[in-house]
Amino acid sequence: MAFTEKLLRVLSPVEVGGRRIKRYHVTADPAGIDPEVEKAAYAILPELLPGPDGTPPAAFVVLHRGGDDGAYLNAYSWVWDNVLHFGGAAAGQPVLGCPNSDPTHFVRLDRSLIGCVWELPPILHERDAWVRHMLAPDRPDFDAYLADSLPEGTTGDRS
């Protein structure tokens, strides 16, 4: 099977655990991610976030619906002013420790995996947006950072 990019959707930020969270959804399905999968993923999200450390409370997530039964939630939180903390969860993927193939039964991952090729594109954008709005200016602009998301489209082929 040949590699193909997937669709990338950008949703409005939400607040969870005191953090403002930018949201990216990745799927091959033009209809988007099933609402039940989305609801289950965001229910486990608080477990994936670190506690406050004085860094502006920002994070971004990538919710990915795989081509099989798998669903994946990657939570990247800004800590130590300029470092990304990672927390991950998966559903429907027994090879990752999921109890069954139910894409709404998320479990926290304990592996050192940070994302697959379809989940990684937002990381580069978010790194650059954090520098552009929070680190480079004389006065950080948290609202500008929250408003600066990778445009919708596909996960690649953006040149």
Side-chain angles (χ1 to χ4, degrees):
M1 182 175 185
F3 174 81
T4 58
E5 296 291 352
K6 293 187 178 184
L7 301 172
L8 178 81
R9 289 204 167 148
V10 180
L11 288 79
S12 299
V14 294
E15 187 169 330
V16 176
R19 288 187 178 273
R20 298 291 309 273
I21 301 176
K22 296 163 76 169
R23 301 182 295 157
Y24 296 97
H25 284 188
V26 172
T27 182
D29 186 346
I33 292 178
D34 181 279
E36 291 302 313
V37 172
E38 180 181 359
K39 180 180 175 184
Y42 289 119
I44 199 169
L45 180 56
E47 295 179 36
L48 308 179
L49 303 174
D53 72 349
T55 302
F60 61 97
V61 297
V62 178
L63 176 57
H64 177 195
R65 186 65 166 95
D68 54 11
D69 291 328
Y72 313 92
L73 180 64
N74 298 338
Y76 305 95
S77 301
W78 290 106
V79 297
W80 297 358
D81 191 46
N82 60 13
V83 173
L84 276 180
H85 170 279
F86 173 77
Q93 192 59 265
V95 71
L96 292 177
C98 299
N100 53 44
S101 60
D102 179 353
T104 65
H105 189 172
F106 279 84
V107 296
R108 189 172 179 168
L109 294 177
D110 61 358
R111 297 183 182 203
S112 299
L113 307 172
I114 64 163
C116 73
V117 296
W118 295 286
E119 298 161 355
L120 295 176
I123 293 175
L124 176 59
H125 176 85
E126 292 300 322
R127 178 263 181 214
D128 290 346
W130 190 256
V131 169
R132 185 171 38 254
H133 300 294
M134 301 300 293
L135 300 179
D138 291 334
R139 299 184 69 167
D141 189 341
F142 192 53
D143 290 334
Y145 168 74
L146 291 173
D148 187 342
S149 293
L150 185 63
E152 288 193 356
T154 63
T155 51
D157 297 331
R158 292 176 174 269
S159 56

